[in-house]
Amino acid sequence: MVVYAGQHQTECLQYSELVPDWTEHEVNTGTTIMAVEFNGGVVIGADSRTTTGAYIANRVTDKLTPIHDRIFCCRSGSAADTQAIADAVTYQLGFYSIVMDEPPLVQTAANLFRQLCYRYRELLTAGIIVAGWDNRHSGQVYTVPIGGMLVRQPVAVGGSGSSYIYGFIDSTYKPGMTKEECLRFTGQALALAMERDGSSGGVARLAAITQAGLEHSVILGNQLPKFPTA
Amino acid sequence: MCLWCLSESTTAFLPFQTTILAVKFNGGVIIGSDSRASMGGSYVSSKTINKLIQVHDRIFCCIAGSLADAQAVTKMAKFQLSFHSIQMESPPLVKAAASVMKELCYSNKEELQAGFITAGWDRKKGPQVYTVSLGGMLLSQPFTIGGSGSTYIYGYVDAKYKPDMSREECLQFATNALALAIGRDNVSGGVVHLVVITEDGVEHVVIPGDKLPKFHDE
């Protein structure tokens, strides 16, 4: 019986041979995302590549999603899942801040993400970093990886490209950096990850969140920091 | 040791559980590794294994993958190289050593699960680093990293490597890279073994775990 089935299979085409590769894969933000706390705010950064299998569906994605005026999230994992979660949390947080009549805490936003990610952990593939500024604890970075854990860290990285830069981050990060140092540190780390990870690339999007507001910047592909090994 | 533990290690179920590297500097090479051998990712079968194998006077290899396969290949390579150097009446070239490993890996690619880094010094081209990957590809590079722990230090080595470093700078670079990898990879650990190979000779440096550089979060 087994031999017959094997022979039969080699004679006819599989469905996957009739359609392009990218129609069979879920849209994934392969990605490298990062957030760093500094005295007075946070710096967040991400690459800009979204892949469906080997095809780059969007090479200029914005993975830094505003949740509230001074709270952002960085998304990695399934694009659909993270967009749905971010929309749900934006709604919940907006409602919450109207009821409380004050800007929400970053910790509140992070907990809303965690509640969704943990409750629906079997259904979701989402790794999210929540970062922002509030007037109680200044700049904060919370990481909610796949599975729905929540932990606050001074530096958080996520996504497939993050594996390659753990060593760089561990060796280069020091507490007490200024905003400019954090921006440069994040830019370098993203450039290194984008160089090595096939699912990360494009441009590096950065944002600095402080009491005063937001400062977005983009480092284009040819402006990324270069290293001697390149 | 129980029977199921033995079978896991001989089938190389989880290869590359290590961190290895080799770096060229001005006048020599440094080849280094951690010293942990683990079975199944949760049991450390040895804390002090030496993964740096001398295949000739100025040529060393380090292994990633199935230890059984690696030992078999390096034994064969050692024999072939010593025979080769007697025939040629001169020390073998580093490239020759790497080629021997490559031949063995490529011809037996179905059976073997081991990758190698070969580094050394010879009179013709000076210090060299070669990597022989799993399927038998041979590549010459200024430096190379390998093993499961190497994933975490790609960013670090890309950022910090400079060509023509001095011996001390290179020692610091290699030690830092291994320490960072050990810090993040659970199947790398123990002590750091480094071998410095130059025209003048071979020096083995061992850095115990508590003397490794510490980084901000430790």
Side-chain angles (χ1 to χ4, degrees):
Chain A
M1 199 54 109
V2 171
V3 171
Y4 174 72
Q7 282 177 340
H8 181 71
Q9 272 201 330
T10 53
E11 280 162 17
C12 67
L13 284 173
Q14 306 281 35
Y15 178 73
S16 54
E17 291 165 5
L18 296 169
V19 298
D21 173 63
W22 53 264
T23 57
E24 301 227 288
H25 294 273
E26 194 192 350
V27 178
N28 224 317
T29 44
T31 225
T32 312
I33 50 176
M34 185 168 159
V36 192
E37 283 176 18
F38 64 90
N39 190 7
V42 292
V43 163
I44 56 175
D47 74 305
S48 71
R49 184 171 287 185
T50 306
T51 50
T52 41
Y55 175 65
I56 299 171
N58 185 352
R59 63 188 173 103
V60 286
T61 323
D62 189 359
K63 303 178 191 178
L64 307 175
T65 308
I67 304 294
H68 206 263
D69 295 345
R70 297 278 186 283
I71 306 177
F72 268 64
C73 77
C74 313
R75 301 178 292 113
S76 75
S78 154
D81 287 350
T82 55
Q83 282 177 358
I85 296 168
D87 287 346
V89 172
T90 307
Y91 165 75
Q92 290 173 359
L93 202 64
F95 195 73
Y96 176 85
S97 78
I98 288 170
V99 164
M100 302 299 285
D101 198 21
E102 63 175 17
L105 298 175
V106 187
Q107 197 176 5
T108 310
N111 272 289
L112 287 171
F113 272 104
R114 192 254 311 152
Q115 279 177 356
L116 281 172
C117 290
Y118 181 67
R119 172 166 295 191
Y120 300 110
R121 59 186 297 173
E122 307 299 328
L123 306 169
L124 297 172
T125 313
I128 294 175
I129 298 177
V130 186
W133 182 93
D134 61 45
N135 55 16
R136 193 183 293 185
H137 296 297
S138 189
Q140 298 144 77
V141 169
Y142 295 88
T143 177
V144 183
I146 293 176
M149 169 182 91
L150 170 63
V151 74
R152 181 181 173 187
Q153 293 176 222
V155 189
V157 289
S160 54
S162 66
S163 319
Y164 303 105
I165 49 174
Y166 276 111
F168 176 75
I169 306 249
D170 284 342
S171 65
T172 315
Y173 172 74
K174 6 179 245 305
M177 291 198 283
T178 64
K179 181 175 72 163
E180 286 66 34
E181 286 174 326
C182 283
L183 280 164
R184 208 180 45 212
F185 171 54
T186 309
Q188 281 181 325
L190 288 172
L192 287 164
M194 284 154 67
E195 187 74 19
R196 287 290 181 177
D197 181 30
S199 311
S200 303
V203 305
R205 295 196 189 278
L206 299 169
I209 309 169
T210 56
Q211 177 171 20
L214 308 164
E215 288 166 32
H216 281 284
S217 53
V218 178
I219 308 179
L220 298 179
N222 60 343
Q223 295 165 347
L224 287 167
K226 293 203 187 347
F227 299 95
T229 52
Chain B
M1 252 190 264
C2 52
L3 279 174
W4 66 262
C5 301
L6 278 172
S7 67
E8 255 194 358
S9 65
T10 51
T11 54
F13 198 60
L14 290 158
F16 307 111
Q17 291 167 337
T18 184
T19 312
I20 51 177
L21 52 70
V23 195
K24 246 197 307 200
F25 66 90
N26 197 1
V29 295
I30 290 182
I31 189 167
S33 77
D34 70 309
S35 71
R36 179 174 287 186
S38 55
M39 291 203 299
S42 59
Y43 173 66
V44 178
S45 52
S46 172
K47 294 189 276 187
T48 52
I49 200 172
N50 187 2
K51 304 176 192 180
L52 303 176
I53 303 180
Q54 184 162 22
V55 293
H56 209 264
D57 293 346
R58 297 274 186 287
I59 308 177
F60 273 71
C61 270
C62 52
I63 48 182
S66 157
L67 283 175
D69 287 345
Q71 281 179 352
V73 173
T74 47
K75 259 199 159 127
M76 180 78 100
K78 227 172 164 173
F79 164 76
Q80 287 188 1
L81 275 176
S82 68
F83 196 65
H84 173 75
S85 78
I86 288 170
Q87 276 187 318
M88 306 300 284
E89 288 180 14
S90 73
L93 299 178
V94 186
K95 189 161 194 184
S99 290
V100 166
M101 317 285 283
K102 181 263 290 173
E103 268 313 304
L104 290 164
C105 288
Y106 184 69
S107 322
N108 300 300
K109 60 159 62 168
E110 311 299 328
E111 283 89 22
L112 292 175
Q113 277 237 8
F116 300 89
I117 293 178
T118 308
W121 183 93
D122 64 43
R123 194 172 298 276
K124 186 171 172 189
K125 279 190 174 167
Q128 296 145 76
V129 169
Y130 293 90
T131 168
V132 178
S133 68
L134 193 60
M137 172 183 80
L138 173 62
L139 205 51
S140 170
Q141 293 177 295
F143 72 92
T144 186
I145 56 179
S148 58
S150 68
T151 325
Y152 306 106
I153 49 173
Y154 273 104
Y156 177 77
V157 298
D158 280 345
K160 299 292 184 191
Y161 173 76
K162 308 186 302 285
D164 285 331
M165 284 189 276
S166 72
R167 185 180 176 281
E168 281 61 39
E169 284 177 324
C170 196
L171 266 171
Q172 191 61 55
F173 172 75
T175 311
N176 284 348
L178 285 166
L180 288 164
I182 286 171
R184 286 291 182 174
D185 184 28
N186 66 328
V187 292
S188 299
V191 306
V192 162
H193 286 290
L194 295 169
V195 173
V196 186
I197 309 168
T198 57
E199 180 178 4
D200 303 324
V202 161
E203 189 197 334
H204 196 156
V205 178
V206 176
I207 306 174
D210 57 347
K211 301 277 191 303
L212 286 174
K214 290 199 186 330
F215 299 97
H216 73 97
D217 55 356
E218 294 170 87

